Amino acid sequence: REFDGMEAAIVAAETRVQELETTLNDPQFHATRSREAHGLNGELETAKTEVTRLYERWEELSSRQKSLD
């Protein structure tokens, strides 16, 4: 069932956001790999959107499950 895997999916998506933010906030990254910043910023926005989508879907599935109980 989709609902059963939602928590793991959310944790994975949030972890990816955190990894990207850590990389982009690292001064060493900008000193050595600044050309990658634009692409990583796009990836970060996509990851944040995915976290939001997953939470919304989790709430939707949770509501459905409660109405069946």
Side-chain angles (χ1 to χ4, degrees):
R1 291 181 6 134
E2 181 183 6
F3 183 75
D4 296 335
M6 290 303 292
E7 188 172 349
I10 290 169
V11 168
E14 287 178 332
T15 298
R16 184 63 183 146
V17 167
Q18 187 176 30
E19 290 169 351
L20 289 165
E21 287 177 338
T22 298
T23 298
L24 288 166
N25 288 324
D26 182 0
Q28 190 63 30
F29 167 79
H30 290 284
T32 59
R33 299 168 45 204
S34 62
R35 292 180 187 188
E36 297 173 49
H38 181 72
L40 288 182
N41 274 319
E43 213 176 309
L44 176 60
E45 290 309 309
T46 299
K48 286 180 176 181
T49 299
E50 180 64 2
V51 168
T52 300
R53 185 192 72 76
L54 288 168
Y55 270 114
E56 288 172 352
R57 181 67 176 149
W58 189 22
E59 288 178 26
E60 179 183 334
L61 293 172
S62 181
S63 293
R64 283 187 194 173
Q65 190 168 13
K66 286 178 184 174
S67 68
L68 294 175
D69 290 341

